[in-house]
Amino acid sequence: MSRHACALPFGATLLAPDRARFRLWAPSQQAVLLELEGAAPRALQAVGGGWHELEAECTAGARYQYRLANDRLVPDPASRAQAGGVHGPSVVVNPRAYDWQHDGWLGRPWRETVLYEVHVGACGGYENLTRQLPALAETGITAIELMPLADFAGTRNWGYDGVLPFAPAATYGPPEALKAFIDAAHGLKLNVFLDVVYNHFGPDGNHLHAYAPGFFREDRQTPWGAAIDFRRREVRDFFIGNALYWLEEFRFDGLRLDAVHAIKDTAVLDELAATVRARIQGSEPQREVHLVLENEDNDAVRLAPGRFDAQWNDDAHNALHVLLTGEREGYYGAYAGAPAEHLARCLGEGFSYQGGAFPGRKSPRGTPSGHLRPGSFVFFLQNHDQVGNRAQGERLCALADPEALWSATVLQLLCPQIPLLFMGEDWGAREPFLFFTDFTGELADAVREGRRREFANFKAWADPVARESIPDPNDASTFRRSMPDFTAATRGAGAARRAAVRDLLALRARHIAPYLDAARALGGVVLSAAAVCGEWQLGGARLTVAANFGAASAAMEPMAHVPLYRTAPGVAAAAAKGRLPPRSAAAWLEPAHG
């Protein structure tokens, strides 16, 4: 029971300690050779439908590649591990070799989720990140979300350029090191989520076009090239199998699916969710497993019961960012005219854009979401995209007034939507998070120059000379600058900030999380051009959270009850008189009919 493996119909599968089956979908190849370390090349047998397979004598750790008809060597697209990079040999893995120490862990329910997004490399690798887990758990974090781990070219990458979805990036360590990290997290009662990318492959190391061109459809393009053809059964099985692989073999507690708006064949999303629910949550004993989307389409139907638990709420973030920074360029322009109205609608109804026109988009954006529970939305002030897609990777602490930012944090952590913190946000880390890669040659040049062109329409970077100061993603120093200093959380202002976050999360765990399954929004209200208030039904109580990000007081309904939390002692007295002071926030929990 303490050793886990996911049965895959492709890739290399150990059938016995000294024997494995190799299976590859290569419909454009009449013949494929297996080149197994220490053995003569052998032809795989064509078994119909474009499949080729072979059983061969080998042990765990053996290296192998496939040789195509044009003499090209390629790795296994379902490789469980790589040796020598994404162009090198794949490795036969015994998934049952790791002995899980916390095999009884069944996960935490969604209502308890407080997400903490991290980049394994920037956090110093699995071992260093493991050392941070006790402090994160003590702070009130309940779920660690790892940025993508699919193996990529080079040694540094955000993870969204992965090309081998089943192979954990070798630069971070072997599969057993990842399992040990997840095991340690489970021992501290922490869920672990993985960000997975099913909408594209990276630009270096994707060999599928050479032997399975039907994996892609040339009639539909995405920002990353030809769209993946999810109409094909083999393609759907590949990615659904990947989701099951991470959840079963590595015992992840949830997945975050990146940019599913780029997947136009949406039936695969519903099939993936249904398969995971049936196979993982239908098992005995039943595990808590969660599925989260990033979806610019704001399609509320994906969040229906039994499908996906929640979606990242970009609307809430974008409106709040405008309120905190005054920035109006790029996608913030769609919120700049009335940011408080957008944020209030997010608090009361989930999405702000629910079918109306959206700047730069030909079709309406979104569908009605007011019927969904507050827990259907992941609420963040910062994440890898919103920080890292800035030219200089600045965090909000370098852009916003500290008191206004803390008021936003109060709103985020005490409202019933699911909070997500970005690594270091809990102690106010000031290190930037920059866009980094490790490409070479012409691809490195294209990425660097393309990155700088992205900002040409921004006032601060309109001058080509100014754009030259945007960090080169391929420079190793760009990566090093993006590493948060965890020791800052143990001293001075960092320790004080983390303690304050801990206090808010303790209030959330006691007074809010237990009631989220049946929570419903009662509405969001605009108090001023820079202040909002939200109300929610929590069991037999009514939760009110009000936040003012501006320099002037805002009028509100008088609140006579003692607040659950307030940013300063004078806030309660002012609120009792119907005023919310500048750059302040407070929360009240009172009987629903009180």
Side-chain angles (χ1 to χ4, degrees), residues 383-399:
N383 62 35
H384 73 272
D385 270 332
Q386 309 298 353
V387 178
N389 281 333
R390 301 181 64 84
Q392 298 290 348
E394 307 100 324
R395 293 172 179 260
L396 273 178
C397 59
L399 303 170

Side-chain angles (χ1 to χ4, degrees), residues 114-465:
V114 178
L115 290 159
Y116 194 81
E117 187 188 28
V118 301
H119 185 279
V120 171
C123 288
Y126 295 126
E127 289 187 9
N128 190 56
L129 193 52
T130 299
R131 287 193 285 270
Q132 314 309 323
L133 292 179
L136 291 172
E138 195 270 338
T139 301
I141 303 301
T142 67
I144 307 300
E145 181 174 311
L146 306 183
M147 289 173 64
L149 297 177
D151 213 358
F152 49 79
T155 61
R156 306 178 298 276
N157 198 282
W158 273 15
Y160 300 92
D161 292 316
V163 291
L164 294 172
F166 292 81
T171 189
Y172 304 142
E176 290 74 20
L178 172 57
K179 292 178 181 179
F181 168 79
I182 297 170
D183 206 5
H186 289 170
L188 293 167
K189 302 187 185 308
L190 291 167
N191 278 349
V192 187
F193 285 62
L194 178 64
D195 194 344
V196 292
V197 183
Y198 295 159
N199 55 72
H200 76 283
F201 291 88
D204 185 5
N206 173 25
H207 297 276
L208 282 164
H209 290 279
Y211 54 86
F215 209 96
F216 305 91
R217 50 186 303 177
E218 296 301 330
D219 63 331
R220 180 175 290 169
Q221 295 294 309
T222 76
W224 306 282
I228 295 170
D229 192 353
F230 286 102
R231 298 170 300 180
R232 290 183 175 272
R233 180 74 263 166
E234 296 87 354
V235 175
R236 294 199 302 276
D237 287 347
F238 184 81
F239 288 105
I240 293 172
N242 185 259
L244 294 170
Y245 166 77
W246 292 119
L247 295 169
E248 291 184 341
E249 197 156 300
F250 288 82
R251 307 192 73 234
F252 277 99
D253 304 285
L255 302 175
R256 180 259 190 190
L257 275 65
D258 176 65
V260 300
H261 47 268
I263 300 174
K264 301 306 180 185
D265 303 304
T266 56
V268 69
L269 300 175
D270 296 330
E271 184 179 352
L272 184 152
T275 303
V276 166
R277 302 299 183 199
R279 184 154 146 182
I280 306 293
Q281 292 186 307
S283 63
E284 293 292 339
Q286 185 171 340
R287 289 173 57 192
E288 295 273 3
V289 172
H290 310 297
L291 300 173
V292 181
L293 296 173
E294 179 195 21
N295 188 1
E296 289 183 1
D297 290 339
N298 282 3
D299 188 358
V301 73
R302 302 268 87 79
L303 305 176
R307 292 186 175 180
F308 292 84
D309 295 272
Q311 176 183 314
W312 279 25
N313 197 348
D314 284 330
D315 283 350
H317 166 273
N318 294 349
L320 246 176
H321 189 92
V322 173
L323 287 165
L324 291 172
T325 68
E327 294 182 349
R328 309 169 67 91
E329 294 183 283
Y331 47 71
Y332 295 128
Y335 303 82
E341 284 81 351
H342 283 287
L343 180 57
R345 193 177 195 198
C346 289
L347 298 177
E349 302 179 38
F351 300 135
S352 178
Y353 283 95
Q354 300 182 34
F358 187 84
R361 188 182 176 113
K362 295 180 180 179
S363 59
R365 179 179 178 223
T367 59
S369 58
H371 62 286
L372 295 171
R373 293 179 300 179
S376 299
F377 306 94
V378 175
F379 189 0
F380 47 87
L381 307 185
Q382 302 180 80
N383 62 35
H384 73 272
D385 270 332
Q386 309 298 353
V387 178
N389 281 333
R390 301 181 64 84
Q392 298 290 348
E394 307 100 324
R395 293 172 179 260
L396 273 178
C397 59
L399 303 170
D401 175 88
E403 292 181 339
L405 179 55
W406 183 245
S407 296
T409 303
V410 172
L411 174 65
Q412 176 201 23
L413 299 186
L414 294 185
C415 94
Q417 296 187 16
I418 299 299
L420 177 145
L421 298 170
F422 185 56
M423 57 181 190
E425 190 175 354
D426 47 321
W427 73 82
R430 303 195 69 85
E431 293 85 6
F433 185 71
L434 297 159
F435 179 67
F436 49 81
T437 55
D438 188 21
F439 297 131
T440 59
E442 293 182 358
L443 179 57
D445 295 338
V447 168
R448 180 182 61 253
E449 297 310 314
R451 175 73 173 168
R452 290 171 177 172
R453 280 196 304 272
E454 288 179 13
F455 298 98
N457 293 327
F458 289 77
K459 184 178 180 180
W461 309 106
D463 183 353
V465 176

